[in-house]
Amino acid sequence: MSVEFDRKIHATLADTKLQLAIYASTARLKDGRLSSVAPQTLPDYQELRTQANALKKHALENLDYYLEEFERNVVAHGGKVVYCKDGTDVADFVLALAKERGARLIVKSKSMTTEEVDLNERLEHHGLESVETDLGEYILQLAHEKPYHIVAPALHKTRYDVAEIFTHSLHVPSETVPEKQTAIARAVLREKFLAADIGISGANFLVADAGAVVLIENEGNARLTTTAPRIHIAIAGIEKVIPRAQDLATFLKLLARSATGQLLSVYTSFLAGPKRAGEIDGPEEFYVVLLDNGRTKLLPDRSKRQSLYCIRCGACLNTCPVYRKIGGHSFPWVYSGPIGAIITPQFMGVSHEPGLPFASSLCGACAEVCPVKIDIPKVLLELRSDVKKSETREKQNRLEKVAFRVFAWVMTHPRWYELAGRVAAAMAPSEDGGWIRTVPGIMNFGPLKAWLSQRDLPPPPPKSFRELWRRR
Amino acid sequence: MSRDSILHRIRTAVGRSADQPPAEAPAARLRIPEVPLEARIASVVARVEALAGKAVRTSDPCAWVAEAIRGKTAVASNAPFLAQCGITGLAGVRSGITDPEELRELCATADVGITGADYVLADTGTLVMLSSGREARMISLLPPAHLAVVERERILTGLDELLTVLPNPAVETSSMVLITGPSRTADIEQILVRGVHGPGQITVVIAD
Ligand code: SF4
């Protein structure tokens, strides 16, 4: 575990106000889920989970096929698909398009995928204004913070924190009633929506047979983002593709229930291309960015591949006894909780935060609530084993490095080099030409012993080249 | 190019070759229960009200709407049904707009947006809006209140029936939106606030 991870965890545990905020919010979300998936409300809940799992498995096993089908259909409806390998690719694409169209102001709806690649920072660095419009995300953008939770990003902020943030950034009188705070944000953001040149959204699903992007939200900011500006860009991970529009019957029933306990979220937008002839409003240009950013690294291993089934409902966070104590910002990357613990090491490499797969009691609560049935504890165990392997490798590497440094020093100091040669000759096995398989007595321990256990050395010559040269 | 290298990486990882047909997908799971019309209507009313919306049944939607928007300004969509029953002719109602800029300005200032609905989902109280020349996207989005007048034959049992009737909505429209209750957020301390970016009030008028 890194010092940083440890420090953040302790800071969160010591903050009683924060502990209460995390506990209360996750409890509410958790209870909402529980009542909405209860047998009397959703009798076929388990069958839906099984179907969702089978669909995700199938989609990933044939991922190249569905991405190409999706692309064909987007193009058929007058949109464009752009494949990007990382955040730099995404930013380059958006910047080039903005420049070509003379765009300055971008409105954004909530997207964890864009958080992953720090899109706002990258765009703002090049002089564009990129405004988050989901209320929670907007509060965090003003506070220069990362999301605390994948569904409720500002879960850790109290109304008093929000009052302070608004007063400080928007220069409005202090207001501590959430209803009025929301009205302030609505007014500021409404102006932005109507003036924006480009709207950037994420995607909850990409529907292959329709070439459609599906967005799920409660506030209406994603609808505004994709309706008001002339250009809509959806940025999605490649794993978001599902085969058919009809599969939404399965996923939509599970997502809102698992996330907040609603039967359906307030708005589900199914967007297939720009505004068509005869339609009154909607964007004139429609782009879908398909982002890899490490996802293809998760595909080869059949078991770990299931980490890509995630539909980002947040249920595993709300139910996780560890997340509920250490909170979202203790986690080393944008994804927190059990799902963060399994995807971060795979996207960023296990040594990014070796403590992460161990920050779990393996109680299994996450797997029980996951609507797509990801076996999170199993993947955690596999990652723990990966961490151990990489640590052993690293330890070995470190020792080897030391050994080679000593070797280099000896090589460049003639007197020591000669002495070493003589010592080696003295250590050589008695029978002529015998290989060195072990070293005698006091030197035969620890690293050298381990190193020689897999290697044999040719015997050193009785007289060194240097000696022979001098006697010539 | 990123496209080819990403697709290549995927194929290598999952062991497929280009142009290989996919394995058979699990059959789509659609279950449509038998629910009589009366029960579907009752369900819409119950669900919409549970979400703090308003739902009414009336044989005279025009009179009901006239009362509801008295003294207010409204923008109505070009749904033929709204004209047929006289709603577009009510005082304070603007309709027949096809220019997006004009529509945007009107919607930004109107008190109420009046629309029809292509379908209604009974089990969740959801309005299904397909973008077209009859229905613009903005009218159900920008004004602080949304009033939808729906013909009762449009009430389906739920999502499964919708996706059976419309197996691929992209054939019909560039935008299908499902609206389930008023716009809301719980981003500050999980306290429910209605009307964040979309309409905070929603009214469903079922024309009997
Ligand atoms: S892993 Fe499962 S429970 Fe966790 S966020 Fe993803 S879909 Fe939801």
Side-chain angles (χ1 to χ4, degrees):
Chain A
M1 183 187 281
S2 72
V3 179
E4 185 63 4
F5 192 29
D6 192 58
R7 189 190 58 75
K8 284 183 182 162
I9 290 172
H10 281 96
T12 310
L13 293 176
D15 187 336
T16 42
K17 210 180 79 186
L18 185 55
Q19 284 290 313
L20 187 68
I22 306 170
Y23 184 80
S25 296
T26 50
R28 226 166 277 150
L29 291 165
K30 201 174 141 183
D31 293 346
R33 176 195 160 272
L34 261 183
S35 58
S36 73
V37 301
Q40 57 276 28
T41 339
L42 189 65
D44 53 353
Y45 172 56
Q46 293 304 341
E47 289 88 64
L48 287 166
R49 288 178 78 211
T50 305
Q51 172 79 355
N53 177 279
L55 285 167
K56 279 286 181 183
K57 179 168 182 287
H58 170 80
L60 287 174
E61 280 169 355
N62 301 277
L63 184 57
D64 58 313
Y65 175 84
Y66 287 118
L67 288 176
E68 286 194 300
E69 187 189 8
F70 172 77
E71 182 183 5
R72 264 198 314 279
N73 287 320
V74 169
V75 171
H77 294 132
K80 281 209 179 92
V81 170
V82 184
Y83 289 79
C84 290
K85 67 176 179 311
D86 56 19
T88 312
D89 269 11
V90 179
D92 286 351
F93 164 71
V94 177
L95 288 168
L97 186 71
K99 199 168 166 197
E100 238 176 83
R101 303 289 189 269
R104 302 216 61 81
L105 175 61
I106 296 175
V107 281
K108 266 195 77 242
S109 62
K110 188 175 172 325
S111 150
M112 287 306 293
T113 310
T114 60
E115 292 289 341
E116 209 182 277
V117 296
D118 297 319
L119 188 64
N120 287 339
E121 290 77 358
R122 288 177 195 260
L123 298 179
E124 280 173 356
H125 184 75
H126 287 87
L128 293 176
E129 187 185 350
S130 178
V131 186
E132 291 292 344
T133 60
D134 169 89
L135 180 60
E137 291 279 352
Y138 181 58
I139 292 167
L140 293 189
Q141 188 179 33
L142 295 178
H144 306 287
E145 284 186 36
K146 288 278 174 198
Y148 207 80
H149 184 287
I150 57 181
V151 170
L155 174 143
H156 60 305
K157 294 283 182 218
T158 63
R159 67 189 90 174
Y160 306 103
D161 296 331
V162 174
E164 226 167 86
I165 295 166
F166 279 6
T167 321
H168 178 256
S169 316
L170 303 175
H171 313 292
V172 290
S174 178
E175 178 54 72
T176 54
V177 179
E179 207 153 23
K180 296 195 174 138
Q181 295 176 326
T182 305
I184 294 172
R186 175 181 164 112
V188 175
L189 292 171
R190 186 51 78 86
E191 296 292 312
K192 300 283 183 193
F193 280 123
L194 296 177
D197 307 294
I198 298 180
I200 295 184
S201 74
N204 292 91
F205 301 99
L206 304 171
V207 183
D209 74 347
V213 168
V214 177
L215 295 170
I216 295 167
E217 50 145 357
N218 281 326
E219 296 184 1
N221 64 310
R223 283 188 73 195
L224 278 161
T225 299
T226 58
T227 300
R230 275 196 55 243
I231 302 173
H232 170 206
I233 305 173
I235 299 178
I238 50 173
E239 83 282 17
K240 291 281 160 73
V241 73
I242 58 171
R244 299 159 300 219
Q246 291 193 327
D247 298 324
L248 290 169
T250 301
F251 288 111
L252 295 185
K253 274 180 223 144
L254 289 169
L255 180 49
R257 285 182 161 88
S258 305
T260 56
Q262 292 164 273
L263 303 188
L264 280 179
S265 299
V266 177
Y267 301 114
T268 301
S269 299
F270 180 98
L271 305 169
K275 168 188 152 183
R276 297 187 191 169
E279 291 178 2
I280 298 168
D281 52 2
E284 283 153 38
E285 296 180 52
F286 178 89
Y287 301 88
V288 184
V289 170
L290 297 178
L291 178 67
D292 178 351
N293 203 38
R295 287 166 171 77
T296 45
K297 285 192 284 190
L298 278 68
L299 285 172
D301 185 312
R302 277 167 181 283
S303 171
K304 286 190 211 129
R305 186 189 293 167
Q306 61 181 312
S307 321
L308 294 176
Y309 297 180
C310 176
I311 55 173
R312 309 272 187 266
C313 73
C316 58
L317 280 66
N318 305 331
T319 199
C320 176
V322 177
Y323 176 88
R324 298 185 75 189
K325 291 307 285 183
I326 74 174
H329 282 173
S330 294
F331 286 81
W333 200 35
V334 289
Y335 297 108
S336 52
I339 184 61
I342 64 170
I343 58 179
T344 304
Q346 300 186 79
F347 276 56
M348 311 293 273
V350 283
S351 43
H352 176 71
E353 174 48 76
L356 195 48
F358 297 87
S360 160
S361 60
L362 296 178
C363 69
C366 47
E368 207 166 294
V369 298
C370 178
V372 289
K373 283 195 171 175
I374 302 174
D375 193 345
I376 298 176
K378 175 162 182 267
V379 179
L380 278 172
L381 280 174
E382 288 162 359
L383 288 167
R384 286 184 181 185
S385 142
D386 289 353
V387 171
K388 284 296 158 208
K389 271 185 226 150
S390 104
E391 276 176 358
T392 322
R393 223 178 301 132
E394 223 172 80
K395 222 185 270 164
Q396 262 171 11
N397 287 347
R398 267 207 302 276
L399 283 165
E400 268 180 14
K401 247 185 241 154
V402 171
F404 279 110
R405 222 176 292 139
V406 171
F407 177 70
W409 188 84
V410 171
M411 290 292 286
T412 49
H413 294 78
R415 266 162 219 274
W416 283 94
Y417 178 76
E418 222 165 293
L419 181 66
R422 261 186 247 134
V423 171
M427 275 170 22
S430 44
E431 84 268 26
D432 225 19
W435 285 59
I436 300 176
R437 292 177 210 285
T438 170
V439 283
I442 47 160
M443 290 171 72
N444 194 21
F445 75 99
L448 196 54
K449 184 177 173 184
W451 195 79
L452 271 170
S453 73
Q454 291 165 39
R455 297 169 180 85
D456 292 335
L457 288 179
K463 293 229 181 318
S464 73
F465 175 77
R466 293 171 64 90
E467 247 172 284
L468 293 172
W469 180 262
R470 263 203 305 269
R471 289 189 187 181
R472 201 175 55 123
Chain B
M1 206 181 124
S2 287
R3 178 186 189 278
D4 295 338
S5 79
I6 290 172
L7 288 173
H8 177 76
R9 286 180 67 126
I10 294 171
R11 287 194 188 105
T12 315
V14 301
R16 282 175 42 85
S17 56
D19 301 323
Q20 184 181 334
E24 200 182 326
R29 190 177 188 284
L30 299 167
R31 305 274 188 279
I32 305 172
E34 286 282 337
V35 186
L37 181 63
E38 275 304 312
R40 274 180 276 153
I41 294 175
S43 175
V44 172
V45 173
R47 293 307 326 165
V48 170
E49 283 179 350
L51 294 165
K54 198 177 213 171
V56 287
R57 294 179 70 165
T58 169
S59 53
D60 189 356
C62 189
W64 201 93
V65 172
E67 193 50 42
I69 63 165
R70 186 180 303 280
K72 293 178 183 159
T73 56
V75 184
S77 76
N78 305 334
F81 182 66
L82 296 182
Q84 272 163 36
C85 64
I87 291 172
T88 51
L90 291 171
V93 176
R94 289 285 309 269
S95 184
I97 298 134
T98 51
D99 177 62
E101 281 313 311
E102 190 189 352
L103 184 68
R104 180 204 282 247
E105 263 159 47
L106 277 173
C107 287
T109 51
D111 299 321
V112 186
I114 305 175
T115 68
D118 290 274
Y119 301 99
V120 183
L121 309 183
D123 63 352
T124 50
T126 301
L127 299 166
V128 182
M129 313 285 304
L130 273 59
S131 173
S132 68
R134 298 178 304 277
E135 294 289 354
R137 304 184 190 196
M138 296 273 191
I139 303 176
S140 62
L141 182 57
L142 287 184
H146 175 203
L147 193 155
V149 184
V150 302
E151 297 151 274
R152 56 185 205 164
E153 301 75 45
R154 301 265 164 188
I155 304 176
L156 308 177
T157 50
L159 199 53
D160 292 34
E161 191 175 357
L162 174 71
L163 290 165
T164 305
V165 178
L166 276 184
N168 186 351
V171 173
E172 308 286 326
T173 178
S174 73
S175 160
M176 175 177 82
V177 180
L178 313 186
I179 303 175
T180 310
S183 153
R184 62 184 241 180
T185 187
D187 275 349
I188 302 169
E189 292 189 18
Q190 288 288 305
I191 294 164
L192 186 65
V193 178
R194 297 195 179 85
V196 202
H197 293 294
Q201 288 170 40
I202 199 158
T203 308
V204 179
V205 179
I206 302 165
D208 258 336

